[in-house]
Amino acid sequence: MAIRWYQSLTLRLLLLFWLLLFAVATSGYLLALWYAKPAQPEPLQDSIKTALAPLLSDQATFSSLSPGRLVAAQYRVAAAVTSEAGPNRLQLEPNLASTHYEVLLSQLAADQPEQLRLANGLLIGPFSLGEQKILLIRPLSATEQAEQQADAQQSEQAQTLTLVFGSLLIAVLLGFWLVQPLKRLTFATKEIAEGAEQLHLKKLPKRSDELGELARSLESAAHDLTVSRNAQRRLLSDVSHELRSPLARMQVALMLSQDDDNPDSNPHLSQMARDVDRLGTIIERILSLSRLENGLVPLQREQLDVGELMRVLAADLAYVDASYGERVTVLDGDWPITASDDELLRLVIENLVRNALQYTEHGIEISCELGDSECFILVRDHGDGVPEEQLAQLFEPFYRGDPSRHHKAGVGLGMALSLRAANVLGGSVSARNHPDGGLEVTVTLPLVSEDETAAQAASA
């Protein structure tokens, strides 16, 4: 589904940012207006009335007062209304008129003397005598200045708190609207990696923006991967059945065709028998590798004595070929008991040992070292080692070091199969050239107690 321009996540984010920032800025502005609103007139203090009464009771003195003139040490005239008619009847102090014109007119219209705190002084009045009126102003006292500063600080604090909580609101809204869907998409990718077909995306696929498109793509990918995985599993099952049956019939036919008294009488049949056996081994290993990669091999964890498993493996190899028993040695050590799948672990070590038996004529040692939460099983041969540039390729499927020099070498699946099986067990495999000569392959396995195994089984 195509995304229209007005459904774009980028546009929505920009619009959301603008709206939220506008809301925060508006709140701060309204708070500033609230704290900056004009002060209201208050009743005149009796002390001021008493101090000014003698000065303002004389008609001659009252008539001589004009804006800007000092009445007392701290008081000067801010505005005056004379008894003469004409344009000069209203007289205002120029500086105050430029900043507080409306305030001066309002105060002159008051019925009785009041006091009003301005930014630059305390306005007092009106005082009337006959038809004349005057307004006086004096500087603010230290106490009044402190109160004014406290009000300004309170206004600044209110604006700061508005910005802080407004920013927090933006973060919460963005986190709910954007970060939560991203976390849900991250969880969905993990579900896809674990093989889930139905993803827990809730209403996210119904969104019409880029996040909704991504959610729908993830749902489609999960479905396609599930279909592909099921098809691959069916293919493995079909290949396993279709290839093994004719191979088994070929092996039976070759056995019936050979002379029991002299099986090597026909070298062509002998060669065909060896090739058929080799082909069966190749098919079996390819199928095993595919089953491991697709999670078709279930883990059967049980308490396992790793040292005993290694000794049984060495004994089985000696039974197949007596020379193997002479060359493979399981060293004594602190072998652990851990919860693991014995068949998979045996598969890992047996492939490594058989690989070493094919590539060297020297002895092979199997030993163990313990870590805090893992054990290290070391398979070391005493051959010529591997060139350093080839160490990283040892675990690639079908890679063989130098088949022209090692005619007994297999098809290059043993090391790859060991790596995949170790990964299924929660471990890893690495290789290095031993300082004293030969190749040393280390299998790292987690140490899992019986209680941990029971807990994992219960949670599953």
Side-chain angles (χ1 to χ4, degrees):
M1 182 177 64
I3 298 177
R4 301 182 183 274
W5 65 269
Y6 55 82
Q7 296 174 335
S8 172
L9 179 63
T10 302
L11 182 62
R12 291 184 177 184
L13 283 176
L14 290 175
L15 181 61
L16 178 63
F17 268 117
W18 181 81
L19 289 175
L20 293 176
L21 290 176
F22 178 78
V24 172
T26 302
S27 301
Y29 177 73
L30 292 177
L31 281 174
L33 290 180
W34 173 264
Y35 283 98
K37 62 183 180 180
Q40 298 298 320
E42 300 175 355
L44 187 62
Q45 297 179 6
D46 294 336
S47 59
I48 298 178
K49 289 182 179 181
T50 304
L52 294 176
L55 299 174
L56 300 177
S57 60
D58 181 66
Q59 181 65 48
T61 303
F62 198 96
S63 300
S64 65
L65 296 178
S66 61
R69 181 177 175 178
L70 288 175
V71 178
Q74 295 182 332
Y75 298 93
R76 60 187 176 89
V77 180
V81 177
T82 65
S83 58
E84 299 178 359
N88 295 326
R89 188 168 187 267
L90 176 63
Q91 300 177 2
L92 303 176
E93 201 277 330
N95 293 331
L96 285 175
S98 63
T99 56
H100 298 88
Y101 182 80
E102 297 293 339
V103 174
L104 292 176
L105 294 182
S106 175
Q107 193 73 4
L108 282 172
D111 297 332
Q112 57 184 0
E114 297 174 335
Q115 62 183 37
L116 178 64
R117 184 184 302 174
L118 303 179
N120 53 352
L122 185 67
L123 187 65
I124 304 169
F127 297 99
S128 302
L129 188 62
E131 296 181 356
Q132 298 178 346
K133 290 183 179 181
I134 62 171
L135 292 178
L136 303 180
I137 189 170
R138 67 165 174 80
L140 296 176
S141 64
T143 303
E144 292 168 340
Q145 290 179 357
E147 292 177 355
Q148 193 173 47
Q149 291 177 358
D151 292 340
Q153 290 178 355
Q154 186 178 9
S155 175
E156 292 178 357
Q157 291 176 356
Q159 295 179 47
T160 302
L161 289 176
T162 301
L163 292 176
V164 169
F165 286 104
S167 302
L168 180 61
L169 177 63
I170 292 176
V172 171
L173 290 178
L174 288 179
F176 180 78
W177 190 70
L178 181 62
V179 176
Q180 288 298 325
L182 290 178
K183 288 184 177 180
R184 194 172 298 137
L185 290 171
T186 302
F187 181 72
T189 57
K190 294 180 180 179
E191 289 181 322
I192 292 177
E194 294 172 357
E197 180 180 6
Q198 298 295 330
L199 305 181
H200 296 84
L201 291 172
K202 298 183 179 179
K203 297 182 179 180
L204 196 55
K206 297 181 180 180
R207 291 179 59 150
S208 56
D209 55 12
E210 289 85 347
L211 290 177
E213 185 178 19
L214 178 57
R216 292 188 292 273
S217 299
L218 286 177
E219 284 187 330
S220 177
H223 175 73
D224 293 343
L225 287 174
T226 301
V227 172
S228 176
R229 186 164 48 247
N230 292 337
Q232 188 174 16
R233 289 177 178 178
R234 287 194 300 269
L235 177 62
L236 286 175
S237 178
D238 295 342
V239 167
S240 176
H241 179 268
E242 296 298 330
L243 290 181
R244 286 176 178 175
S245 297
L247 279 175
R249 291 193 296 269
M250 290 173 65
Q251 289 174 333
V252 173
L254 286 172
M255 290 175 58
L256 296 176
S257 301
Q258 288 179 329
D259 187 352
D260 294 338
D261 297 332
N262 188 8
D264 296 329
S265 60
N266 190 333
H268 301 295
L269 290 178
S270 299
Q271 180 62 43
M272 186 179 296
R274 289 193 294 271
D275 289 341
V276 169
D277 291 338
R278 184 178 177 84
L279 181 60
T281 301
I282 293 173
I283 292 174
E284 181 61 34
R285 291 194 175 183
I286 291 176
L287 293 175
S288 298
L289 182 59
S290 299
R291 285 195 296 269
L292 284 172
E293 290 178 331
N294 287 278
L296 299 179
V297 178
L299 277 179
Q300 301 292 335
R301 290 188 182 273
E302 58 184 13
Q303 288 302 107
L304 175 66
D305 187 334
V306 180
E308 181 63 24
L309 178 63
M310 297 300 105
R311 286 186 283 271
V312 171
L313 171 60
D316 291 344
L317 290 173
Y319 180 79
V320 174
D321 190 330
S323 63
Y324 289 174
E326 298 174 357
R327 295 171 56 193
V328 178
T329 304
V330 179
L331 301 180
D332 294 333
D334 192 10
W335 290 91
I337 296 178
T338 182
S340 186
D341 189 309
D342 59 342
E343 290 297 331
L344 274 183
L345 182 54
R346 179 185 173 112
L347 175 66
V348 173
I349 305 302
E350 184 173 358
N351 277 287
L352 296 178
V353 173
R354 287 186 179 276
N355 185 78
L357 290 170
Q358 291 171 351
Y359 278 88
T360 179
E361 300 294 335
H362 301 83
I364 299 167
E365 298 174 349
I366 306 175
S367 59
C368 180
E369 296 178 0
L370 290 180
D372 295 335
S373 59
E374 54 193 5
C375 67
F376 308 93
I377 303 175
L378 297 90
V379 179
R380 180 198 170 192
D381 63 51
H382 291 268
D384 300 328
V386 177
E388 292 293 332
E389 63 273 10
Q390 296 181 6
L391 284 175
Q393 300 175 281
L394 290 179
F395 300 100
E396 296 179 1
F398 302 105
Y399 175 79
R400 293 186 293 171
D402 188 356
S404 63
R405 296 177 56 189
H406 303 281
H407 300 288
K408 296 181 180 180
V411 295
L413 285 175
M415 300 284 279
L417 191 60
S418 293
L419 176 61
R420 302 308 197 275
N423 289 337
V424 172
L425 292 172
S428 61
V429 182
S430 60
R432 67 161 187 160
N433 287 313
H434 196 277
D436 297 331
L439 179 69
E440 182 180 70
V441 181
T442 302
V443 179
T444 304
L445 291 176
L447 293 176
V448 182
S449 66
E450 189 173 3
D451 294 338
E452 292 175 338
T453 304
Q456 292 176 1
S459 61

